[in-house]
């Protein structure tokens, strides 16, 4: 955004407005090019009168000696140079950028919106999932034990327990927060993968007649368990 500022005699000063986290900070790109352009007044910095050609300048609607118009941090002379105004005080470009918070990923100053997550500042475009690099600006995310940012999907894929049968991670159903899984024989199962190994009946400890009757670490329904037990028994009998 370019804003045109006029000095008291109507000469144009152009200025560039940059949005920052402090609201709008004005980056002035030039000052009145006419010398002397105005009836100078009292220098804002030293309090002395500004007289004579080429000795004064105006900035932020205030009058300065050119030698007094300096960056308040490093004292660089700013007349004719780009500068930033913070609380009506002039900063050179470098010192201004130093006042800004730095992104914890790319370490560059954040000129625009700060995204704050887990107490740290980020550029919105730097706040991404460590696995898929998708931007998580405005999207639910989670962190692992070492504070690494993950999208919800990748977090579950990485840390969710794996199903013994299909080897896939056991994740919450879409739209749900909680994961439902079956834990049996010290192993994890998807609810639908918890089946009798012989007949494929989906087992459940809560449903009548569909309980699990494990045999030698095999997941079996009641009747398949009985059949296997019978087979072993008859084999033993025949062997005798
Ligand atoms: Zn002065
Ligand atoms: Zn400076
Ligand atoms: Zn960044
Ligand atoms: Zn991801
Ligand atoms: Zn499974
Ligand atoms: Zn069965």
């Amino acid at each position: 955004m370019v804003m045109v500022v006029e000095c008291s005699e109507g000469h144009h000063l152009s200025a560039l407005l940059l949005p920052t986290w402090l609201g709008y900070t004005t980056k002035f790109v030039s000052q009145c090019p006419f010398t002397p352009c105005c009836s100078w007044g009292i220098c804002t910095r030293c309090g002395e009168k500004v007289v004579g050609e080429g000795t004064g300048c105006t900035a932020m609607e205030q009058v300065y000696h050119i030698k007094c118009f300096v960056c308040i941090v490093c004292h660089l002379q700013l007349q004719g140079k780009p500068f930033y105004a913070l609380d009506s005080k002039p900063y050179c470009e470098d010192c201004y950028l130093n006042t800004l918070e730095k992104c914890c990923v790319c370490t560059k100053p954040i000129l625009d919106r700060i995204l704050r997550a887990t107490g740290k500042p980020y550029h919105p475009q730097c706040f991404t999932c460590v696995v898929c690099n998708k931007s998580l600006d405005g999207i639910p995310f989670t962190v692992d034990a070492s504070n690494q940012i993950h999208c919800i999907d990748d977090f579950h894929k990485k840390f969710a327990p794996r199903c013994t049968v299909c080897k896939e991670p056991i994740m919450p159903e879409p739209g749900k927060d909680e994961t439902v899984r079956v834990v049996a024989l010290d192993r994890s199962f998807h609810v639908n993968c918890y089946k009798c190994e012989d007949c494929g009946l989906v087992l459940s400890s809560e449903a009548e007649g569909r309980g699990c009757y494990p045999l030698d670490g095999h997941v079996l329904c009641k009747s398949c368990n009985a059949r296997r037990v019978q087979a072993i028994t008859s084999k033993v009998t025949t062997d005798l």
Side-chain angles (χ1 to χ4, degrees), residues 27 71 73-74 76 78 82-84 91-100 102 109:
K27 178 188 184 181
C71 166
V73 179
C74 71
L76 179 79
L78 294 175
F83 70 95
Y84 291 80
Y91 287 76
C92 72
E93 189 139 25
D94 285 349
C95 291
Y96 171 70
L97 293 179
N98 270 333
T99 67
L100 300 179
K102 313 285 186 300

Side-chain angles (χ1 to χ4, degrees), residues 103 106 123 126:
C103 167
C106 69
H123 289 114
C126 290

Side-chain angles (χ1 to χ4, degrees), residues 47-112:
E48 305 268 315
K49 245 191 193 154
V50 182
V51 282
E53 282 193 17
T55 56
C57 60
T58 57
M60 303 169 290
E61 290 164 5
Q62 289 170 322
V63 174
Y64 291 87
H65 288 112
I66 286 174
K67 65 174 170 53
C68 290
F69 185 55
V70 295
C71 166
I72 67 153
V73 179
C74 71
H75 302 119
L76 179 79
Q77 274 208 10
L78 294 175
Q79 199 274 328
K81 295 200 179 75
F83 70 95
Y84 291 80
L86 271 191
D87 296 330
S88 298
K89 297 198 179 70
Y91 287 76
C92 72
E93 189 139 25
D94 285 349
C95 291
Y96 171 70
L97 293 179
N98 270 333
T99 67
L100 300 179
E101 274 199 89
K102 313 285 186 300
C103 167
C104 68
V105 175
C106 69
T107 71
K108 298 212 170 74
I110 305 175
L111 287 162
D112 224 312

Side-chain angles (χ1 to χ4, degrees), residues 164-235:
T164 313
V165 177
C166 69
K167 314 292 184 227
E168 292 294 317
I170 304 174
M171 319 245 288
E173 281 177 48
K176 300 235 175 84
D177 287 340
E178 264 178 76
T179 310
V180 183
R181 64 174 166 144
V182 177
V183 180
L185 310 174
D186 285 332
R187 288 178 257 159
S188 294
F189 300 81
H190 286 112
V191 172
N192 290 326
C193 290
Y194 186 53
K195 292 190 275 204
C196 169
E197 290 177 26
D198 285 359
C199 71
L201 177 75
V202 174
L203 303 175
S204 162
S205 56
E206 280 143 41
E208 184 67 34
R210 292 207 276 129
C212 179
Y213 292 79
L215 186 68
D216 292 337
H218 291 287
V219 174
L220 299 169
C221 71
K222 189 176 185 180
S223 50
C224 292
N225 172 291
R227 200 173 306 128
R228 282 204 193 195
V229 169
Q230 208 170 32
I232 295 164
T233 320
S234 60
K235 189 165 177 280

